[in-house]
């Protein structure tokens, strides 16, 4: 068994999306080769309603899947397939845009004004770029949860882990997406298939990855910090990109640690990306935007 070393440690960066929603982007809109098949991860935790209530009005997607995971507040949504409803704490919405979908997502805070959650984009392979759009909504009680003997707790959104399987199915990248909580001071080893790209995104507490009894290993690539000493621990809003191996090891800090652990099989295909549309070639990208202008973007549902 080999522990995955830390390849890079990244702090999510403030940005605005939609109609002016303040959020933090962990990665995306750059060279995403190391994250393949994932394209973008947004952390939209916010406690100031005026910074998120404008939401994400009607907009198109093609060629990707979007995964929305809500922790607090709710997200009201609707789309061109006729789906509508609300994602509430602990729920997951997994949307396969495929050949094209137009939807909106409007965040609503809880009674304390909190709106917390994440959105991950997964790429579709060229063979499925123009597949029928599909939508899966999973309510919190339907997401399997496992607690290990040492108190480590896992919510399994997608994929197989510790003998259980998440409720989301039929996903091209065959990802594993889990929400992990490790108690204070505990060291935990978690399996990740060697052939996958993998990252962790910390959103509560802190911890050390790699050889957890030692200081954090020196990353295998430059992280661009002001000095040459990598941070001693990964804390809130930090993303850890792992190198190759078949296990991830973490030692929780004094307050424990909670993080998303996501892995997927790389597609290793060319990416042509502009805004909400991700294809394989610039010609396909131009066609998509041309169809948007002409009103031919949405394709007939052949399943009817």
């Amino acid at each position: 068994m080999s522990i995955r070393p830390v390849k890079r440690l990244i702090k999510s960066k403030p940005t605005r999306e939609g109609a002016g929603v303040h959020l933090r982007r962990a990665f995306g809109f750059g060279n995403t080769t190391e994250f393949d098949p994932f394209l973008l991860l947004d952390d939209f935790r916010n406690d100031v309603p005026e910074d998120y209530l404008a939401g994400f009005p009607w907009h198109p997607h093609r060629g990707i899947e979007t995964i929305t995971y809500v922790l607090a507040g709710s997200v009201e949504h609707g789309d061109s397939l006729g789906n509508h409803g609300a994602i509430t704490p602990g729920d997951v919405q997994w949307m396969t845009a495929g050949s094209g979908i137009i939807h909106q997502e409007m965040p609503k805070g809880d009674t304390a004004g909190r709106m917390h959650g994440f959105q991950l984009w997964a790429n579709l392979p060229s063979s499925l770029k123009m597949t029928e759009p599909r939508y899966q909504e999973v309510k919190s009680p339907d997401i399997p949860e496992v607690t290990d003997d040492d108190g480590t707790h896992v919510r399994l959104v997608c994929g197989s882990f510790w003998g259980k399987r998440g409720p989301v199915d039929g996903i091209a990248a065959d990802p594993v997406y889990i929400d992990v909580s490790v108690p204070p001071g505990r060291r935990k080893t978690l399996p990740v298939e060697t052939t996958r790209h993998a990252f962790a995104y910390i959103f509560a507490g802190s911890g050390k990855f790699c050889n957890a009894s030692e200081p954090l290993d020196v990353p295998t690539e430059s992280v661009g910090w002001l000095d040459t000493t990598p941070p001693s621990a990964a804390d809130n809003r930090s993303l850890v990109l792992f190198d190759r191996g078949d296990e991830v090891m973490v030692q929780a800090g004094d307050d424990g640690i909670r993080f998303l652990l996501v892995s997927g099989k790389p597609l290793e295909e060319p990416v042509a990306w502009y805004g909400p549309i991700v294809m394989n070639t610039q010609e396909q990208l131009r066609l998509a935007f041309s169809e948007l202008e002409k009103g031919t973007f949405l394709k007939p549902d052949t399943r009817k």
Side-chain angles (χ1 to χ4, degrees), residues 12-15 21-27 40-46 56 69 71 115-120 201-204 236-238 260:
S12 57
K13 297 177 176 62
T15 187
V21 177
H22 294 242
L23 50 80
R24 286 179 177 264
R25 179 154 296 151
F27 67 90
L40 172 152
L41 176 65
D42 280 346
D43 175 350
F44 57 83
R45 288 178 292 160
N46 199 310
F56 306 91
Y69 180 32
L71 300 177
M115 179 67 247
H116 293 186
F118 308 97
Q119 187 167 92
L120 176 69
Y201 185 73
I202 296 89
F203 60 96
N236 187 25
R237 295 192 168 94
S238 294
L260 305 178

Side-chain angles (χ1 to χ4, degrees), residues 31-32 64 94 146 161 224 300:
N31 182 0
T32 56
I64 63 170
W94 200 298
V146 188
F161 191 82

Side-chain angles (χ1 to χ4, degrees), residues 27 51 112 131 150 160 164 176 179 193 229 250 266 290 292 295 300:
F27 67 90
D51 286 348
T131 193
D150 64 358
S160 296
K164 289 187 176 287
V176 175
D179 174 352
E193 287 182 28
T229 304
V250 60
S290 172
L292 269 173

